[in-house]
Amino acid sequence: MMKQRFPAIFLLSTLLLIFALKCPASQLLPEIIQIQNIKLKKIPIGQKVLGLPNQSGQMEDYQGLRTIKITKAFYIGTTEITQDAWQKIMPKNPSFFKNPKHPVENITWSDAQSFCKLLNRQKDSALLPKGMIFRLPSESEWEFAARADSSDLFFFGNHESNITTFAWIYLNSKNQTHPVASLQPNPYGLYDIYGNVREWCQDGYAVAKWNLTNPIIAPEKKEKVHRGGSWDSCEECCKSGTRSSALKNTKSKDLGFRVAFGFPL
């Protein structure tokens, strides 16, 4: 009986090994990971054209169309970090609009970095993929995730009239944040990519380089990028390719973040 079973087991093991060797590493990772009550979605990697068309003057250098390739697997939070998630890691809630289901805000870029550092102390016990860390997304990762499979100005098309289906902005927010995931997500299942709070990214604000692979722009700069617009933003500020910035020690009641999980940048 054992002699008959051994060839079958050997054949199955060989086939699984061949599959693993031929399959890109990113395809072997789980689609969803979770730590505490933070859920993150694996984002398809590859090549996309990022930025905005028809930029004039200096803005062409900062947010004109550019080809970016991402080759390293990464995850991004399905929601912005909530005040509930923040308080499970950090000593106090700095938010202006206090509600455990609302995104945390009124935090600096450095505060977001501190949260990620403390979250990383828990990752080994959560049985997560090895070699990856919790961190802020690069802005290229953020835009890959925000666009989903769209090359339009918004993930839902080029017409901004539908934006309040997906985003809390000045038109519908009543001048405050709202519970995360209370509107419709983008095609990747990510909520509040536009609106609610602006989201800190890892990059410094500088000229956007062209035709890069896994870029991180000007990390040494004190002026840091944030993306996505907020509850007091206009439609223009929420376009997938729109870049905005603030000094790293800036706090604002419309500025928070979304955590990523990926290889060190």
Side-chain angles (χ1 to χ4, degrees):
M1 188 73 174
M2 287 297 292
K3 289 182 179 180
Q4 292 175 349
R5 194 178 298 173
F6 179 76
I9 295 174
F10 179 77
L11 178 60
L12 178 60
S13 300
T14 303
L15 289 173
L16 289 173
L17 178 60
I18 292 171
F19 173 78
L21 290 172
K22 288 188 174 182
C23 219
S26 63
Q27 292 184 15
L28 301 176
L29 296 172
E31 289 297 314
I32 297 287
I33 61 171
Q34 190 159 346
I35 185 170
Q36 298 279 5
N37 58 347
I38 304 167
K39 183 184 291 186
L40 299 94
K41 175 78 180 292
K42 182 162 70 74
I43 302 301
I45 58 177
Q47 182 171 293
K48 291 184 181 181
V49 176
L50 306 186
L52 294 173
N54 305 317
Q55 298 296 289
S56 58
Q58 190 179 37
M59 291 311 297
E60 175 65 24
D61 294 332
Y62 279 84
Q63 60 184 29
L65 296 177
R66 58 202 182 277
T67 300
I68 299 296
K69 182 183 289 185
I70 292 181
T71 62
K72 298 179 180 180
F74 73 99
Y75 294 78
I76 200 164
T78 58
T79 69
E80 295 158 335
I81 292 297
T82 63
Q83 294 172 39
D84 178 60
W86 178 268
Q87 289 189 278
K88 283 180 167 60
I89 304 292
M90 304 296 280
K92 65 178 183 177
N93 180 8
S95 301
F96 182 84
F97 302 107
K98 294 273 194 306
N99 186 306
K101 296 182 179 180
H102 287 216
V104 69
E105 23 84 6
N106 202 33
I107 60 163
T108 67
W109 182 88
S110 298
D111 291 335
Q113 296 286 353
S114 296
F115 177 91
C116 293
K117 182 177 180 179
L118 291 174
L119 191 60
N120 276 318
R121 295 180 182 177
Q122 303 181 20
K123 67 184 177 72
D124 289 340
S125 60
L127 300 176
L128 299 174
K130 302 298 182 183
M132 305 172 86
I133 60 170
F134 290 103
R135 54 172 173 75
L136 290 178
S138 72
E139 62 170 324
S140 294
E141 290 173 337
W142 187 96
E143 193 170 333
F144 259 62
R147 286 185 174 280
D149 296 318
S150 173
S151 58
D152 295 330
L153 297 176
F154 303 95
F155 64 73
F156 53 81
N158 287 314
H159 300 290
E160 57 195 34
S161 58
N162 294 328
I163 193 168
T164 53
T165 302
F166 307 97
W168 297 110
I169 61 171
Y170 82 103
L171 290 170
N172 61 344
S173 70
K174 298 182 179 179
N175 297 318
Q176 63 179 16
T177 59
H178 290 263
V180 301
S182 53
L183 296 176
Q184 293 299 306
N186 81 351
Y188 284 173
L190 308 179
Y191 295 88
D192 302 303
I193 276 288
Y194 308 140
N196 221 0
V197 292
R198 296 176 283 150
E199 300 176 14
W200 285 116
C201 291
Q202 192 72 27
D203 305 61
Y205 188 69
V207 170
K209 304 293 185 180
W210 303 81
N211 302 320
L212 292 180
T213 299
N214 304 318
I216 174 75
I217 298 173
E220 74 287 350
K221 293 201 68 172
K222 293 182 179 180
E223 186 178 4
K224 300 297 184 182
V225 170
H226 52 74
R227 291 293 203 110
S230 74
W231 55 264
D232 66 348
S233 293
C234 65
E235 300 91 329
E236 178 76 21
C237 297
C238 297
K239 290 176 179 177
S240 297
T242 297
R243 303 176 74 212
S244 301
S245 65
L247 292 175
K248 62 189 295 185
N249 61 352
T250 298
K251 291 185 177 183
S252 175
K253 59 187 177 183
D254 71 339
L255 184 53
F257 73 111
R258 183 184 306 259
V259 76
F261 185 70
F263 294 100
L265 294 171

